[in-house]
Amino acid sequence: VSTQSTGCRKEWVKISMNGTPFLCFLVFFLVSTLLFLKTEAVDNDEDEEFDEFDEYESEHDIVEEVLDETQEQLQKKFDDPYDEEQTSDHDDKINEVQIESTTEKPEIVEEFDYDADEFVGYEKKSDRHTENNPYRPKNIPEDKEELESGPRTYYMEALFSIFLICYVINYYLGKRQNEGVALSWGIAIQAIFSENFSRVGEGTFLVRESPNKFRTIATGRINCTGLQATLELKRRHDLLSVGLDMLRKSEDMLTIDIAVENLEPMVFAIIPRNRERSFRKEHKDMESFATTSTTTEGLSPSLVILTDNKELVSSILSIETIRIINKYKNNFDHLWITDQNPFSKFKKTLRFVFKLPHPKEMDSIKVPTQMVFSLIDRLASIRLSVKAKEKAKNLRYLAAKSEKQNSSQENAVEQRVLTPEEQKRKERKEAKKRNPYKYKVFKN
């Protein structure tokens, strides 16, 4: 997002933030309903066709029974082996009846072949499904698979195609919406960044790392090495995430990380009270040093302070800072100050996490951001008492010692588990890494 294009692209802020996912789901639901109704109609037509086929079978069975009874009666009536003339006449009449029956009853092709010598007197029955059969109903499929399963429908293929189209449309529109949120934040905050830092951005003010993640950096300010601001927005470009967001609502988050200089040994955090346990587990320094929680006068009861030294509360939190935090407590996530940051190469860190407001109300982010920049100079001016400083150093020394002992114990356990052969292999691999040419085999 270019700094020069902020004025001409303000219209992006007017993009609706909730209409696109609802529209995609509405189109998907309507088209799926139409396809389902169409499939039900096809199934009903198929049932009617097979009902006609059942009627045909019952009628043809009646005709076959009548012809068989007629043939048997004629054989009994004219069957006289002592009168040759009569038998010849009888044979002619029987042949005529057989001819008529064969014309009326087409042959049935059985599903299996039989041996004429083995099955004596076995006759092939007429085929009910031949084209010459006058009783054959129309619109009967000739393919056996089609006869068993009915006409093929493309219901699942159509649903998948519709879902794919909706996903592509939502990806494009969701990506545009996230760009609009990032741009509105950049328009509101760029002037404050330029006032506090001599160099802002990397060619452009915002760098897009993914469709829902944007980043900017700033350097050139006293009492800090640099700043990195990261926007973690909703995954509006992902249709599945949009559906999950309806069940478990997520927020657009702003994270400002500042590498602070001249910071005394301290850990300090302001977090929501219901997140105290999870925050300690996520941040090792809080679990090791900030063993108790406290509060201060004027701070909202829904917030709690974690620190290793209660002297820091009055030094860091001024009356104006407490007022701003209380005013924006619905959007406030947490404030974290530490000299033992395990997540970055810069150990002395100030982190501020804030929930972004609606793009139309993005100007409200200016006041909390200015508060964070004022904390940089305040932290650099804080000096702990001799007693508090010694206590903080002793705690860090004991924590580093215990961590070293734990690592050495883990290494000892690994060595005890290894067998002599495995230990030799491990040493040989390490030796190869140190001097690979010694173990290299040259072939002529």
Side-chain angles (χ1 to χ4, degrees), residues 412-426:
V413 169
E414 289 181 358
Q415 291 178 359
R416 285 197 299 270
V417 170
L418 293 177
T419 61
E421 295 180 358
E422 292 176 346
Q423 185 66 26
K424 288 181 180 179
R425 293 174 189 170
K426 184 178 179 180

Side-chain angles (χ1 to χ4, degrees), residues 192-204:
I192 298 177
F193 272 66
S194 300
E195 291 174 1
N196 286 272
F197 296 90
S198 61
R199 182 180 177 183
V200 179
E202 300 172 293
T204 60

Side-chain angles (χ1 to χ4, degrees), residues 64-199:
E64 285 186 350
E65 291 177 1
V66 171
L67 291 175
D68 292 338
E69 290 177 359
T70 305
Q71 184 176 354
E72 291 176 359
Q73 291 175 1
L74 289 174
Q75 284 180 346
K76 291 179 180 180
K77 184 177 180 180
F78 298 102
D79 191 6
D80 189 358
Y82 300 100
D83 190 357
E84 296 180 356
E85 294 179 358
Q86 187 177 1
T87 54
S88 63
D89 295 336
H90 294 170
D91 294 337
D92 294 337
K93 291 180 180 180
I94 291 171
N95 292 332
E96 290 177 0
V97 174
Q98 290 179 350
I99 291 170
E100 291 177 358
S101 64
T102 54
T103 55
E104 293 181 0
K105 298 193 304 179
E107 293 183 356
I108 296 176
V109 179
E110 297 293 335
E111 296 182 355
F112 62 90
D113 296 331
Y114 66 93
D115 189 358
D117 296 334
E118 183 177 355
F119 298 94
V120 179
Y122 182 82
E123 295 180 359
K124 291 184 179 180
K125 297 181 180 180
S126 60
D127 188 4
R128 301 178 182 177
H129 309 299
T130 56
E131 297 180 356
N132 297 327
N133 193 339
Y135 295 97
R136 177 183 173 85
K138 298 179 181 180
N139 302 326
I140 294 181
E142 296 181 357
D143 190 3
K144 183 178 179 181
E145 294 182 357
E146 189 175 359
L147 181 64
E148 294 177 355
S149 61
R152 185 177 180 184
T153 58
Y154 296 91
Y155 180 70
M156 296 302 297
E157 290 83 351
L159 283 179
F160 180 77
S161 301
I162 294 168
F163 176 78
L164 186 61
I165 293 171
C166 292
Y167 191 92
V168 173
I169 294 173
N170 182 79
Y171 181 88
Y172 176 74
L173 296 179
K175 181 181 175 183
R176 290 287 300 272
Q177 286 183 358
N178 283 337
E179 289 177 354
V181 174
L183 182 64
S184 63
W185 176 80
I187 294 171
I189 217 72
Q190 185 177 2
I192 298 177
F193 272 66
S194 300
E195 291 174 1
N196 286 272
F197 296 90
S198 61
R199 182 180 177 183

Side-chain angles (χ1 to χ4, degrees), residues 195-316:
E195 291 174 1
N196 286 272
F197 296 90
S198 61
R199 182 180 177 183
V200 179
E202 300 172 293
T204 60
F205 180 67
L206 280 176
V207 177
R208 182 177 61 199
E209 296 184 349
S210 66
N212 68 312
K213 188 174 182 180
F214 299 82
R215 178 179 56 83
T216 185
I217 62 172
T219 56
R221 191 185 191 282
I222 58 173
N223 298 325
C224 76
T225 306
L227 173 147
Q228 177 174 293
T230 306
L231 293 176
E232 287 279 354
L233 306 180
K234 296 180 182 179
R235 297 177 62 85
R236 296 182 176 90
H237 62 286
D238 187 1
L239 189 60
L240 297 177
S241 298
V242 171
L244 293 175
D245 187 60
M246 294 180 180
L247 302 176
R248 186 182 60 184
K249 190 175 181 181
S250 60
E251 301 289 345
D252 296 326
M253 304 301 296
L254 166 66
T255 303
I256 298 177
D257 289 315
I258 302 173
V260 184
E261 297 177 353
N262 303 322
L263 183 67
E264 292 287 315
M266 66 174 71
V267 290
F268 182 89
I270 303 176
I271 59 173
R273 190 175 294 274
N274 56 0
R275 289 181 50 199
E276 180 179 354
R277 182 177 299 179
S278 61
F279 191 84
R280 288 181 184 276
K281 291 181 179 180
E282 294 172 359
H283 298 78
K284 189 177 179 180
D285 58 333
M286 289 295 168
E287 189 176 11
S288 302
F289 307 126
T291 55
T292 59
S293 60
T294 184
T295 185
T296 186
E297 184 180 357
L299 189 65
S300 174
S302 61
L303 301 175
V304 66
I305 299 173
L306 303 179
T307 182
D308 62 339
N309 188 354
K310 293 184 179 180
E311 295 179 5
L312 298 172
V313 177
S314 58
S315 301
I316 295 175

Side-chain angles (χ1 to χ4, degrees), residues 26-37 155 159 162:
L26 181 61
V27 171
F28 182 74
F29 176 76
L30 291 176
V31 178
S32 302
T33 305
L34 292 175
L35 286 174
F36 178 75
L37 295 176
Y155 180 70
L159 283 179
I162 294 168

Side-chain angles (χ1 to χ4, degrees), residues 400-411:
K401 187 177 180 180
S402 63
E403 185 177 357
K404 187 176 181 180
Q405 288 178 355
N406 292 334
S407 61
S408 62
Q409 288 177 0
E410 290 178 358
N411 294 332

